[in-house]
Amino acid sequence: MSRRRTIVATTIGNALEFFDFTVYGFLALVIGKLFFPTFSSYGQLLLTVASFGVGFIVRPLGGIVIGSYADRAGRKKAMTLTIFLMALGCAMIAFAPTYAQIGVAAPILIVLARLIQGFSAGGEVGASTTLLVEHATPKNRGYMASWQFASQGLGILLGAVVVGVLLTALPAQAMESWGWRVPFLLGMLIAPVGMYIRRHLEESLDVHEAPATTDAPRPHGSLSAVCREHGKTVLAAILSIIGGTAAAYVVTFYMPTYAIRELGLPPPVALFGAALTGLLSFALAPLVGVWSDRIGRKRLIVASRVLLALLIYPGFLWLNASPTPTALYTVVGLLSITLVMQTVPGITMLPEMFPKHVRATGMSLVYSVGVALFGGFSPFISTWLLNATGNKLAPAWYLLTVSMVSLLGLLWMRDFTGKDIDAADAH
């Protein structure tokens, strides 16, 4: 019963957080017109996806600060803090005046809001995943951790559906006038709803417990302790995670923009493709988590990235040769399956790499740096590469390269599937 409550509370709260953080990406074309109107359509898009990526610049800082707080004060308190910060950033965007109203201050305000949201997201993933893992047994850690990614999928699904419905129901003038604000106004509900839900979570960290491996005082989950004691693990884990994060943000957030601008598909069709990714992530993540508990994390990650490598180029080639909704949904669906297969075991491995007293800090640092480097800026890099080369297959080559390089990180990571990660000699 305790595990069920943990799963439900974490999933709902995290889904609300990711709805707030990611809905911005689905409104890139509308926001570009309103906040960067002095640039060309390409410039507007580039600046909008760059401001989307700005939210990832501070994710490592948020991961370090909030992760350390989670290791010192507890997972629940850290997750309540991230809820408040995400809602604050959402409110700033919802009520932000446009460029036509206050000039250059408008995009500055948007960037500031994205920085706050990025800081929040940096701490959310580490704290929530750590809580799920610490409520698990050695035999079901993959299943428990999978709900973190499932909740991301639920948030993405809700965001894509809300924006898709608005684009379908509202004329372009109404969408640009007030419709784009609706998702952010809805996102402000995260504060009261999320805090109420998380108040009933059961804390997994005994703040008075000494580290199992030493009689020394607890190092408070500090960055220095993580880097000093687990530096090689941090570097290997960052390298291993960039493949999954790049795939996630290309498939989920860049693909709708690509489908609209490069393939000429209607915005609702493109957004419902993103909704398909969210739906598959939510539905398949727990199944993949159970699978990883049975066969091991590394084996599943390697198999899924090889599968992605085989599918990505033919998929983009088919999309450009036959830019239809059927082709889009088929390609997005297949890539989403490979995404779930690699991300669930990947996100489970990260907290397994660190002892309990620095687990949230280590997990937050690795994930937020990996996302910042090759996740959030993937839409920007893909847009720039496509324009610089004139090759519509450039995003596929980028994703293929990053996915294969990230496999190197797995060589230096231990697979803790089925093992006790809190044993005295585990780390």
Side-chain angles (χ1 to χ4, degrees):
M1 185 64 69
S2 173
R3 290 195 184 106
R4 286 199 195 102
R5 279 201 304 267
T6 301
I7 288 171
V8 171
T10 304
T11 299
I12 294 175
N14 203 48
L16 290 172
E17 282 244 10
F18 270 82
F19 173 90
D20 284 1
F21 186 72
T22 58
V23 75
Y24 183 94
F26 297 135
L27 290 164
L29 296 176
V30 177
I31 291 175
K33 291 181 181 179
L34 297 174
F35 289 89
F36 306 100
T38 59
F39 295 86
S40 65
S41 60
Y42 165 70
Q44 291 174 5
L45 175 61
L46 197 62
L47 287 171
T48 306
V49 295
S51 59
F52 176 78
V54 159
F56 293 82
I57 292 177
V58 293
R59 282 186 75 158
L61 179 61
I64 293 166
V65 173
I66 299 177
S68 180
Y69 179 62
D71 282 331
R72 185 173 65 253
R75 319 312 188 198
K76 281 177 62 175
K77 290 184 178 180
M79 291 165 68
T80 301
L81 175 61
T82 61
I83 286 274
F84 170 77
L85 291 173
M86 187 64 73
L88 173 62
C90 222
M92 290 173 64
I93 298 175
F95 295 107
T98 64
Y99 188 94
Q101 295 171 311
I102 61 171
V104 72
I108 293 175
L109 185 61
I110 288 290
V111 169
L112 178 60
R114 290 296 298 168
L115 290 173
I116 294 173
Q117 289 187 320
F119 186 89
S120 169
E124 167 67 20
V125 175
S128 60
T129 310
T130 299
L131 183 79
L132 287 165
V133 164
E134 289 175 348
H135 275 281
T137 68
K139 293 184 178 181
N140 70 355
R141 274 199 308 268
Y143 170 74
M144 289 293 289
S146 71
W147 286 100
Q148 211 291 330
F149 188 67
S151 65
Q152 293 186 32
L154 181 58
I156 291 166
L157 172 61
L158 293 174
V161 168
V162 168
V163 175
V165 168
L166 286 170
L167 287 172
T168 303
L170 297 178
Q173 184 178 0
M175 189 67 190
E176 294 178 14
S177 175
W178 58 270
W180 70 273
R181 298 183 188 273
V182 172
F184 298 104
L185 291 170
L186 292 174
M188 290 170 59
L189 294 173
I190 185 178
V193 175
M195 287 182 181
Y196 173 79
I197 292 171
R198 289 187 168 178
R199 190 173 64 185
H200 299 284
L201 275 172
E202 182 179 336
E203 179 59 65
S204 63
L205 175 70
D206 180 1
V207 296
H208 302 295
E209 180 186 356
T213 57
T214 179
D215 295 328
R218 177 188 301 279
H220 299 302
S222 67
L223 175 64
S224 61
V226 172
C227 294
R228 183 178 63 253
E229 299 170 12
H230 308 281
K232 292 181 180 179
T233 299
V234 168
L235 294 176
I238 290 174
L239 183 60
S240 71
I241 201 68
I242 62 174
T245 58
Y249 285 89
V250 169
V251 173
T252 307
F253 300 107
Y254 179 69
M255 194 64 81
T257 302
Y258 183 86
I260 295 168
R261 282 182 57 89
E262 306 301 330
L263 305 179
L265 293 172
V269 170
L271 281 166
F272 285 122
L276 176 61
T277 297
L279 177 61
L280 289 172
S281 298
F282 180 66
L284 297 180
L287 301 177
V288 173
V290 172
W291 195 9
S292 75
D293 283 325
R294 292 180 178 177
I295 70 171
R297 325 281 188 226
K298 279 190 177 184
R299 187 180 302 177
L300 202 51
I301 294 172
V302 172
S304 60
R305 289 191 181 165
V306 171
L307 185 59
L308 175 68
L310 295 175
L311 292 174
I312 186 68
Y313 182 77
F316 269 80
L317 199 63
W318 182 34
L319 273 178
N320 282 274
S322 177
T324 64
T326 299
L328 177 68
Y329 297 152
T330 302
V331 171
V332 166
L334 290 173
L335 294 180
S336 297
I337 292 171
T338 68
L339 174 63
V340 180
M341 287 174 60
Q342 63 182 286
T343 305
V344 169
I347 208 171
T348 305
M349 287 187 75
L350 298 187
E352 290 179 325
M353 296 294 105
F354 302 97
K356 195 168 189 176
H357 65 283
V358 292
R359 185 166 293 146
T361 304
M363 163 73 192
S364 299
L365 174 65
V366 168
Y367 187 82
S368 57
V369 170
V371 170
L373 292 177
F374 289 94
F377 280 101
S378 289
F380 176 85
I381 295 170
S382 298
T383 301
W384 178 81
L385 281 174
L386 196 152
N387 187 74
T389 63
N391 186 350
K392 292 187 177 184
L393 301 178
W397 289 116
Y398 164 72
L399 185 53
L400 178 61
T401 302
V402 174
S403 296
M404 292 297 98
V405 170
S406 69
L407 284 175
L408 296 174
L410 289 175
L411 297 175
W412 292 280
M413 291 181 66
R414 291 178 60 188
D415 193 332
F416 282 91
T417 302
K419 299 177 182 178
D420 182 2
I421 58 174
D422 290 324
D425 59 348
H427 303 282

